[in-house]
Amino acid sequence: MSPLLTARDLTKTFGVQPALRGVDLDLHEGEIVAVRGRSGCGKSTLLHCLSGIIRPDGGQVHFHGERIDDTTEAYRSELRRTRFGVLLQHGHLISELTSAENVALPLMLGGGSRRAALAAAATWLGRLGVAEAAEQTPGQLSGGQLQRVALARAMVTQPAVLFADEPTGALDSLAGELVMKLLSRVAREHGTAVVVVTHDATIAAYAEREIVLRDGEVDPTGLGVAVGVGA
Ligand SMILES: Nc1ncnc2c1ncn2[C@@H]1O[C@H](COP(=O)(O)OP(=O)(O)OP(=O)(O)O)[C@@H](O)[C@H]1O
Ligand SMILES: [Mg+2]
């Protein structure tokens, strides 16, 4: 089976600082891949290039066999609205809206009726164990609840790929594991492929496979650190 998403030889430099130096990645349908490595190794940059938030300087990204990195900003935004889900470290929910409205928003932006969108939002909030948060605004929620609401919003459009950048980074280990458990469960139930960025080996253990970046390159040792002589 050909991969759902591929990256070939991705490079990205900010000023004189190379953030990606020739990264390859294959993501198959329904697969969960963790991207791990030290701070500054290029994890977020890779996720942003894969999801079309930024364009790489070199290399190619294909989705369903179609090249997407050279498409317009509008096209890539549309992909993120319809085919990709994005979950960031701090969730980025809209503070004036309730949880239910936040989750319903992607469907309403896609032209769905408010009533149907809110019904889908309620289903997703229930599935992720935060039904009680439906009528609350983000300021009234705990970190773990916020991430579960943000996950509901990322999944409500039933994306083919979920991109998650340190979705558990702001949480304690118990809350972080709960979010990761739920994320991997709903992804498997819906056949969603996932790219999850994390510092944390415990979180990465929920993935089927991990790649480790080191200074903008895939580290073939999988360690992400300098291996000393004789190590
Ligand atoms: N918008 C930007 N402008 C300038 N430099 C950037 C920008 N984004 C990333 N960088 C630089 O690129 C390198 C990789 O950054 P990136 O954010 O991808 O790392 P990361 O692995 O996600 O780190 P962390 O674990 O701290 O989130 C770093 O040196 C960073 O300073
Ligand atoms: Mg990062």
Side-chain angles (χ1 to χ4, degrees), residues 39-40 42-45 48 89 165-166 197 199:
S39 185
K43 302 181 297 295
S44 295
T45 306
H48 295 158
Q89 183 164 354
D165 193 353
E166 310 245 13
V197 165
H199 279 95

Side-chain angles (χ1 to χ4, degrees), residues 60-72:
Q60 301 191 348
V61 180
H62 285 82
F63 174 60
H64 274 303
E66 181 201 350
R67 188 165 174 193
I68 58 169
D69 61 279
D70 62 350
T71 57
T72 62

Side-chain angles (χ1 to χ4, degrees), residues 6-225:
T6 64
R8 288 291 173 271
D9 202 20
L10 290 187
T11 58
K12 181 76 191 177
T13 298
F14 296 103
V16 294
Q17 173 73 36
L20 296 178
R21 301 191 298 171
V23 173
D24 292 340
L25 181 123
D26 283 346
L27 181 72
H28 290 88
E29 244 165 72
E31 181 182 39
I32 303 181
V33 174
V35 177
R36 209 154 63 79
R38 288 186 168 177
S39 185
C41 69
K43 302 181 297 295
S44 295
T45 306
L46 175 61
L47 195 100
H48 295 158
C49 287
L50 294 174
S51 57
I53 292 171
I54 60 173
R55 289 182 62 179
D57 298 333
Q60 301 191 348
V61 180
H62 285 82
F63 174 60
H64 274 303
E66 181 201 350
R67 188 165 174 193
I68 58 169
D69 61 279
D70 62 350
T71 57
T72 62
E73 174 64 46
Y75 183 85
R76 286 177 283 127
S77 300
E78 175 72 6
L79 262 183
R80 282 195 301 282
R81 204 173 53 66
T82 56
R83 311 290 286 133
F84 296 163
V86 181
L87 177 60
L88 299 174
Q89 183 164 354
H90 298 291
H92 297 294
L93 298 170
I94 296 172
S95 57
E96 292 78 15
L97 300 182
T98 65
S99 300
E101 289 166 338
N102 265 289
V103 176
L105 196 59
L107 295 175
M108 291 197 272
L109 290 175
S113 75
R114 182 177 167 85
R115 177 197 285 260
L118 285 171
T123 302
W124 273 97
L125 291 170
R127 201 169 277 162
L128 293 170
V130 276
E132 77 283 358
E135 296 313 316
Q136 293 179 305
T137 53
Q140 301 172 297
L141 303 180
S142 71
Q145 285 177 316
L146 282 174
Q147 280 309 66
R148 284 185 279 159
V149 174
L151 176 58
R153 186 185 55 181
M155 287 297 295
V156 75
T157 55
Q158 306 210 21
V161 187
L162 174 67
F163 295 98
D165 193 353
E166 310 245 13
T168 65
L171 306 177
D172 64 47
S173 56
L174 210 62
E177 279 208 47
L178 173 62
V179 166
M180 198 55 208
K181 251 182 209 150
L182 288 165
L183 188 159
S184 46
R185 196 194 79 205
V186 294
R188 291 205 167 94
E189 283 171 2
H190 291 269
T192 310
V194 180
V195 181
V196 56
V197 165
T198 181
H199 279 95
D200 186 340
T202 319
I203 296 299
Y206 286 89
E208 276 128 19
R209 199 156 61 79
E210 69 171 12
I211 67 162
V212 178
L213 292 185
R214 184 182 167 204
D215 296 337
E217 292 181 295
V218 176
D219 182 351
T221 69
L223 296 171
V225 293

